Amino acid sequence: IPALPSVAYEVTLTNGNRVTIQHADEWPENIKQVEEPEVSCTIITLPEYIGKITELCIKKRAIDLNVDVLDKVTITCKIPLMEIIADFYDKLQSYTNGFSSFDYEISGARISQMHKMIILINDKVINEFAIIVHEINSRFIGLKMVEKLKEIIPRAQIKIKIQAALDNSKNI
């Protein structure tokens, strides 16, 4: 199962202290707010790709989306760094058949609904599979991980229960 890349999250605890978290195994229990790094993106492409690129940006949780059309199209927006380093560039090149230019720079942080996702096998937490995910993507990522584990765990004479859950609280 391929691991997702990780970024540093600034976490404010309920007691007011702030900590930096990079891995799910560092995830605290008493979280008040999570800030994730954000980048300012500039994409230059041809007019026929506006729809696909806009759709990709929205899927990757873009805000402040702006499209300028002259001879070429310039799209600017802000996207969480995690979404960029995961697979954004590959998808952008695929959607535009390589006819796009992409540049980004760190622009700050945004408050996000991040959670620790854990995997349980027969009700036992497997810490090695824990990851930090955004609430919006959690169901999709959890289902993908469970399906992949179902494929690679050898069949047995007994039932093997595989689950994904957020913050030790609810199954997805």
Side-chain angles (χ1 to χ4, degrees):
I1 294 178
L4 291 173
S6 181
V7 298
Y9 298 94
E10 288 295 321
V11 178
T12 304
L13 305 175
T14 53
N15 65 7
N17 291 343
R18 290 178 60 90
V19 293
T20 301
I21 304 295
Q22 278 198 281
H23 304 286
D25 58 349
E26 302 169 348
W27 200 252
E29 294 290 323
N30 50 349
I31 296 174
K32 180 179 180 184
Q33 168 180 301
V34 179
E35 295 177 35
E36 66 178 324
E38 181 177 69
V39 298
S40 294
C41 301
T42 303
I43 303 165
I44 300 171
T45 191
L46 301 174
E48 55 261 31
Y49 302 117
I50 292 175
K52 287 184 178 181
I53 294 174
T54 303
E55 188 177 309
L56 174 64
C57 290
I58 291 169
K59 183 178 177 187
K60 298 296 184 177
R61 301 186 289 128
I63 59 172
D64 298 337
L65 190 68
N66 186 26
V67 179
D68 293 323
V69 181
L70 295 172
D71 292 341
K72 294 184 179 178
V73 176
T74 302
I75 299 171
T76 57
C77 61
K78 292 183 178 183
I79 299 177
L81 179 60
M82 180 65 177
E83 300 289 350
I84 296 296
I85 62 175
D87 63 352
F88 185 85
Y89 184 74
D90 291 338
K91 286 190 177 188
L92 177 65
Q93 293 304 310
S94 173
Y95 288 176
T96 63
N97 299 316
F99 289 105
S100 64
S101 166
F102 175 65
D103 186 32
Y104 70 92
E105 64 182 31
I106 303 290
S107 62
R110 74 163 78 161
I111 297 171
S112 294
Q113 297 299 316
M114 305 305 291
H115 296 277
K116 176 182 177 180
M117 177 181 287
I118 58 171
I119 298 295
L120 298 100
I121 298 179
N122 286 338
D123 297 321
K124 182 179 180 232
V125 175
I126 309 299
N127 289 321
E128 292 78 11
F129 292 131
I131 57 172
I132 300 170
V133 296
H134 190 275
E135 191 172 73
I136 291 174
N137 301 329
S138 63
R139 184 166 178 78
F140 174 75
I141 292 170
L143 285 172
K144 274 180 56 176
M145 289 180 73
V146 166
E147 288 171 2
K148 187 66 175 174
L149 283 168
K150 183 180 173 185
E151 287 176 21
I152 62 175
I153 293 176
R155 290 189 159 267
Q157 295 296 325
I158 57 171
K159 278 191 172 185
I160 297 175
K161 183 166 64 170
I162 306 169
Q163 299 169 292
L166 293 180
D167 299 327
N168 288 330
S169 60
K170 57 183 178 182
N171 291 340
I172 53 174

